[in-house]
Amino acid sequence: MKSYRTYLILASAMVAFVFASCQKEPEITPIYPDTSDNTTDTIPDTPNVPEEALSGLFSVADNHQVRFAQGNLQYADGSWRIAEQQYDFLRAFDDNIWDHFGWSTANTNYGLLTSSSDNSYSGEYVEWGTVFGANSPWRTLTADEWIYLRFNRADAYSLCATGSIQLADGSTVKGCFFLPDNWVLPEGCTFNAGLGQIHTDYSRNTYSVVDGTWAAMQAAGAVFLPAAGTRHGYSFNSVSSHGRYWTAPSDSYYLYYLYFTGRSIDCTNTYGPSYGNCVRLVIDKD
């Protein structure tokens, strides 16, 4: 009798084991990361490059390259920004938006001043790039760097010219073009290196927003600086005929800026700190 009870107990245990083994685990739906934006496939090669930086690389000294900002520096409605387009610039004074700055010192808030007296701009230079924070990668080229870019890098003279961009509204923005070191001309575009015959001659190269030629040039790394003139006090002068872009100070006593017309592109120190010029920032490659 005892052995029969033992048999029943062992048999019951076996049935329970088999029954338990046949039960399924509770269904668990796996949670996968969201790959709808293809994040793993679009990791940039240069993760430290701001999205406002253009793709082209430009030599500004031996073994030293930079990328340019996509547009001129602007101060609008109480905050700093980079213009959305390379050809954007102001043609008249507006209290709410600035892109022609006097000399940048601590007491002028990066040149946000309308005084036409040079004495109002005294003090140590403050780097424009720091408007985006003390650790900002943006900075202003020195005159020596602009000169190297314009005259001394490999094939310098074939990578620079004056010209214009035709906008969708039919207007034309005049200025100068700089092409990156490893330039490849886009299909359907032409580029004639050199300058015009007179100061107002920006006809050497013309690209259009409508037909896509300007988009192709920019995608290939071309930089365009509009001939935005200069501001003195509240008045704008030489708009569409001259371009003046501040440089960071060097060892020289004088204040330099990149200066161009339809027939010349160089660095000069003619004007004083009270003149409002444009600023195009860059970031170093490394």
Side-chain angles (χ1 to χ4, degrees):
M1 190 71 176
K2 181 177 180 181
S3 57
Y4 181 75
R5 283 198 301 268
T6 301
Y7 173 79
L8 288 177
I9 293 172
L10 292 174
S12 299
M14 181 62 70
V15 171
F17 174 79
V18 172
F19 179 79
S21 299
C22 292
Q23 302 303 299
K24 292 183 179 180
E25 289 285 345
E27 186 174 355
I28 299 175
T29 303
I31 300 175
Y32 298 105
D34 181 8
T35 58
S36 60
D37 62 354
N38 296 320
T39 302
T40 57
D41 296 329
T42 58
I43 298 174
D45 294 332
T46 52
N48 295 323
V49 176
E51 63 179 9
E52 298 90 352
L54 299 172
S55 61
L57 289 170
F58 296 76
S59 291
V60 294
D62 292 342
N63 302 314
H64 190 176
Q65 293 177 308
V66 299
R67 290 181 173 87
F68 281 85
Q70 70 182 16
N72 289 347
L73 181 66
Q74 293 182 340
Y75 181 81
D77 300 322
S79 62
W80 294 91
R81 69 187 185 191
I82 291 173
E84 292 184 2
Q85 302 293 342
Q86 296 202 62
Y87 47 74
D88 289 341
F89 72 94
L90 298 184
R91 293 166 173 79
F93 183 79
D94 186 333
D95 280 328
N96 297 316
I97 181 171
W98 299 58
D99 67 356
H100 288 65
F101 308 104
W103 188 240
S104 177
T105 64
N107 63 316
T108 62
N109 191 22
Y110 300 99
L112 293 173
L113 199 65
T114 55
S115 173
S116 57
S117 171
D118 286 348
N119 292 332
S120 301
Y121 298 82
S122 60
E124 295 295 323
Y125 168 75
V126 179
E127 167 58 51
W128 272 285
T130 60
V131 299
F132 297 110
N135 298 319
S136 166
W138 296 109
R139 69 178 182 89
T140 310
L141 288 178
T142 66
D144 290 340
E145 289 175 316
W146 272 117
I147 290 171
Y148 187 98
L149 172 65
R150 170 69 178 98
F151 299 108
N152 300 328
R153 63 174 171 148
D155 300 321
Y157 287 91
S158 65
L159 298 174
C160 182
T162 54
S164 60
I165 299 175
Q166 294 179 342
L167 305 186
D169 63 3
S171 62
T172 298
V173 180
K174 301 175 181 179
C176 72
F177 298 93
F178 288 95
L179 305 183
D181 295 347
N182 297 322
W183 170 250
V184 177
L185 184 68
E187 184 177 354
C189 296
T190 61
F191 183 77
N192 298 313
L195 308 170
Q197 298 299 312
I198 59 176
H199 287 320
T200 57
D201 181 7
Y202 286 89
S203 61
R204 194 170 185 86
N205 297 279
T206 301
Y207 306 102
S208 171
V209 171
V210 175
D211 68 12
T213 51
W214 169 237
M217 290 290 290
Q218 181 170 258
V223 163
F224 177 73
L225 302 177
T230 190
R231 175 185 58 79
H232 202 219
Y234 298 95
S235 300
F236 279 63
N237 304 300
S238 304
V239 174
S240 295
S241 63
H242 296 66
R244 295 184 176 92
Y245 287 74
W246 280 121
T247 71
S250 56
D251 294 334
S252 171
Y253 168 78
Y254 299 101
L255 306 181
Y256 281 83
Y257 57 89
L258 178 74
Y259 170 81
F260 64 84
T261 67
R263 70 173 186 180
S264 63
I265 305 173
D266 205 344
C267 277
T268 185
N269 61 356
T270 305
Y271 281 55
S274 62
Y275 283 83
N277 299 327
C278 293
V279 174
R280 180 66 68 91
L281 299 175
V282 301
I283 59 170
D284 296 303
K285 176 186 176 183
D286 300 317

